[in-house]
Amino acid sequence: TFTAWCNSHLRKAGTQIENIEEDFRDGLKLMLLLEVISGERLAKPERGKMRVHKISNVNKALDFIASKGVKLVSIGAEEIVDGNVKMTLGMIWTIILRFAIQDISVEETSAKEGLLLWCQRKTAPYKNVNIQNFHISWKDGLGFCALIHRHRPELIDYGKLRKDDPLTNLNTAFDVAEKYLDIPKMLDAEDIVGTARPDEKAIMTYVSSFYHAFSGAQKAETAANRICKVLAVNQENEQLMEDYEKLASDLLEWIRRTIPWLENRAPENTMQAMQQKLEDFRDYRRLHKPPKVQEKCQLEINFNTLQTKLRLSNRPAFMPSEGKMVSDINNAWGGLEQAEKGYEEWLLNEIRRLERLDHLAEKFRQKASIHESWTDGKEAMLQQKDYETATLSEIKALLKKHEAFESDLAAHQDRVEQIAAIAQELNELDYYDSPSVNARCQKICDQWDNLGALTQKRREALERTEKLLETIDQLYLEYAKRAAPFNNWMEGAMEDLQDTFIVHTIEEIQGLTTAHEQFKATLPDADKERQAILGIHNEVSKIVQTYHVNMAGTNPYTTITPHEINGKWEHVRQLVPRRDQALMEEHARQQQNERLRKQFGAQANVIGPWIQTKMEEIGRISIEMHGTLEDQLNHLRQYEKSIVNYKPKIDQLEGDHQLIQEALIFDNKHTNYTMEHIRVGWEQLLTTIARTINEVENQILTRDAKGISQEQMNEFRASFNHFDRDHSGTLGPEEFKACLISLGYDIGNDAQGEAEFARIMSIVDPNRLGVVTFQAFIDFMSRETADTDTADQVMASFKILAGDKNYITVEELRRELPPDQAEYCIARMAPYTGRDAVPGALDYMSFSTALYGESDL
């Protein structure tokens, strides 16, 4: 075995040996062997044939071996020159150990253990192979065949080998190794099979030849692992970029669709339609917007995490597509909140306006109906020619009746003016049905003018014939004069008692109640007037019965009968308790509204300060240090959980707010907090705790990736917080310089120091914002000790896979890399255009550079 091993190296120098102890005695071939296997030149040999010359050559060889850190125990030049077989073989084994086995190191084990571990790993997938040592584990020959098949599967059909045929297995391995791997036959198959325990040194020597033969493949495997790691980082970052782009596009599209809806201030014509708009806005604030707030916060967190990963993997910063930067999202969000601002207030004002319009429109219709009912037939009455054929008494009655009508007409003047005033107010408030109101009002006014003209004309006609008339029944006249005002009073009272009302406070309903009580106090006097008027009618009846006066049976001066007076009086008495009931119900409603105000105010006055306190506590947590970053992260997550658990109180307040809006309550003197204040504060609280947690997570990422100890991180944080006196989370240039100096960074006040500080600022503040964040500060402090891969390292790894060529082929990529990463490279590598290019050659150099620079990868 040792002879074959020596000849495998000596033939490179054009020579061979046949007998170790004889051929090495003069030291010449021994020195030549050491030069071949070490690649170094030894001292010039002695060419003489004398013993002293031979001893000198052997000593030069032994001195060279000793210079490589090898102890030669009991081996002297004289024993080698004298052909001592034991000493000569011991020396050759020492050379093999030093130059063939000692350099083998797997996971920092010794040479022998490293070689054994390498064999175990390479043969692990093969059945019937169990390498535990360098003697009996190799007797069946399957171990040698497995090593060859693992690296060159085309040389051996492993599936056809049998464990019970060790001679065939051993000879197959030895023949293939000699023919295709240039490994000479150092062992004899029959000796191995026929020996209970094969020679361990011989097996180790032969196996070490396999290790060195396949070392190139080992380098390729290491290079492939490095490339896979780099590509995996790039693929993960690309996925994060795609996720960010999609989330940003979706959020911007939602904002684009929502803003026009919030900016639309086109009023509706009905209360129901406006209240539906208010309900839609409430759903937007409670159901649709909160998830978008979380998406916006998550977008910023994803962006910061991605940038941190890119920095830690020595990649360029991520630049989103145009219009999709975090600042663009914030600007669009600001536009959304600007459009949202005042929308709810506008809705409530519109509802209040429509409520007022509905009230006025109903009042207009009621008064117009009463007036139109009164004027019905009046024009025809005024145009009668009855006075032309009437008797003297009838003429006088007609004149008195006309006077009573004029009194009645004058009494209705106020109602006509009220109708016109209400119509004018409806026009000023932009009532949607103003055209029909104006038409009806105009018709009433035109008719009123016509009634005035007809009344004047009839009076003139009656006055012309008055001289022909003599007496008139004074009692009827007195009845008519007193009955008409009383009738108007009752009609006014009925109108007032049926008048609709709208109030918003207890004070307003109390005012209406007081006015109603004052009205009820006038009823006894009114009843006396009614009795007096009925007494006049009774007196007329008594005179007619007493003097047998020929009367038509009705009062010629008025159409108001005692029956009508009694009927209207009874109606007034019935309306009074109804009015009492309506006022009581409204009073109860206003009391309920006041309870709602107090209930909302009590909760809001607790929740508002609670949110402010939590915001301040988060601010303190972010600048204080207690325990490790993991402790701080756990503390913040527990804190976040306690905040989220507070959400039911917010929901309860939203419910009370909805009840207040449904009750049309527009103000609340019991609190300065509105629901919008609470909503905005709650959203800011959730966003702040999420951002603080993300900052600590990024610090952990940075610490672990950069190899920063917890003590260093605490020192960096303490220094940063010390100079962050305004607790803004950032340092100005002067504060940053002072912080660096406090950590031992030498920055002089001279021109050189200023230039150095300017260079540092360009690193930590590339956008020239004038502030330094804690993350940028940590990145700078750990930059020099960063253990990251580089473009040169990746390029060198590809060069190994390519067999030291300047290009790599598709077949080589698919052979050396996992399928998904191989296809990733093939899709992105540019064609190689060098002079030594072959068809299908790919440029791995530009690809490696692009991984760490500005590119589309």
Side-chain angles (χ1 to χ4, degrees), residues 574-692:
Q574 292 174 355
L575 289 175
V576 168
R578 295 181 189 173
R579 185 75 168 184
D580 288 335
Q581 181 65 26
L583 291 172
M584 288 176 59
E585 291 175 354
E586 182 60 28
H587 189 272
R589 190 175 78 86
Q590 290 302 324
Q591 286 181 322
Q592 173 63 17
N593 287 353
E594 185 65 11
R595 284 193 294 272
L596 288 176
R597 289 188 182 97
K598 290 180 179 179
Q599 182 174 326
F600 179 86
Q603 292 187 79
N605 290 336
V606 172
I607 293 175
W610 182 87
I611 290 176
Q612 181 61 34
T613 299
K614 294 302 177 184
M615 288 290 289
E616 294 171 357
E617 290 176 357
I618 293 172
R620 288 197 299 272
I621 291 173
S622 65
I623 65 173
E624 294 176 354
M625 295 182 301
H626 297 291
T628 66
L629 289 176
E630 284 77 10
D631 293 338
Q632 296 176 38
L633 183 60
N634 291 333
H635 184 198
L636 285 170
R637 284 175 174 163
Q638 290 296 322
Y639 204 80
E640 181 184 39
K641 184 177 180 181
S642 70
I643 290 174
V644 172
N645 289 339
Y646 200 77
K647 181 65 163 57
K649 295 186 182 295
I650 306 296
D651 294 338
Q652 182 181 354
L653 191 66
E654 284 280 7
D656 291 343
H657 178 62
Q658 181 173 347
L659 293 176
I660 283 178
Q661 289 191 334
E662 291 172 350
L664 299 178
I665 299 172
F666 302 106
D667 54 11
N668 193 343
K669 64 182 179 181
H670 301 293
T671 181
N672 292 326
Y673 291 99
T674 66
M675 194 64 234
E676 186 59 24
H677 290 150
I678 300 299
R679 289 169 182 159
V680 172
W682 177 251
E683 291 169 358
Q684 290 177 345
L685 180 60
L686 292 178
T687 300
T688 299
I689 186 64
R691 285 174 176 165
T692 305

Side-chain angles (χ1 to χ4, degrees), residues 126-127 149 156-162:
Y126 293 86
K127 62 180 181 179
H149 185 268
I156 290 180
D157 188 353
Y158 189 84
K160 293 183 177 180
L161 300 178
R162 292 164 36 208

Side-chain angles (χ1 to χ4, degrees), residues 764-824:
V764 297
D765 182 23
N767 295 324
R768 299 183 179 179
L769 301 178
V771 294
V772 180
T773 65
F774 181 68
Q775 186 62 49
F777 170 66
I778 291 298
D779 286 346
F780 173 75
M781 294 304 296
S782 59
R783 182 178 296 273
E784 297 303 323
T785 60
D787 184 17
T788 58
D789 53 83
T790 65
D792 289 339
Q793 290 174 328
V794 174
M795 201 179 303
S797 297
F798 273 117
K799 193 175 184 68
I800 292 173
L801 297 187
D804 209 33
K805 299 190 299 295
N806 293 325
Y807 60 85
I808 195 167
T809 65
V810 171
E811 293 74 16
E812 288 170 336
L813 286 171
R814 287 176 174 161
R815 185 182 71 225
E816 301 293 347
L817 298 178
D820 60 333
Q821 295 187 333
E823 298 306 319
Y824 178 87

Side-chain angles (χ1 to χ4, degrees), residues 13 44 99 116 119 152 242 304 505 617 668 727 780 789 827:
K44 186 177 180 180
F99 294 101
L116 184 63
C119 294
R152 297 289 299 276
E242 291 176 6
N304 293 334
T505 65
E617 290 176 357
N668 193 343
H727 306 303
F780 173 75
D789 53 83

Side-chain angles (χ1 to χ4, degrees), residues 709-723:
S709 68
Q710 185 64 49
E711 291 73 17
Q712 286 178 305
M713 184 64 76
N714 289 342
E715 181 183 6
F716 293 157
R717 170 56 81 182
S719 299
F720 189 90
N721 288 344
H722 175 76
F723 292 99

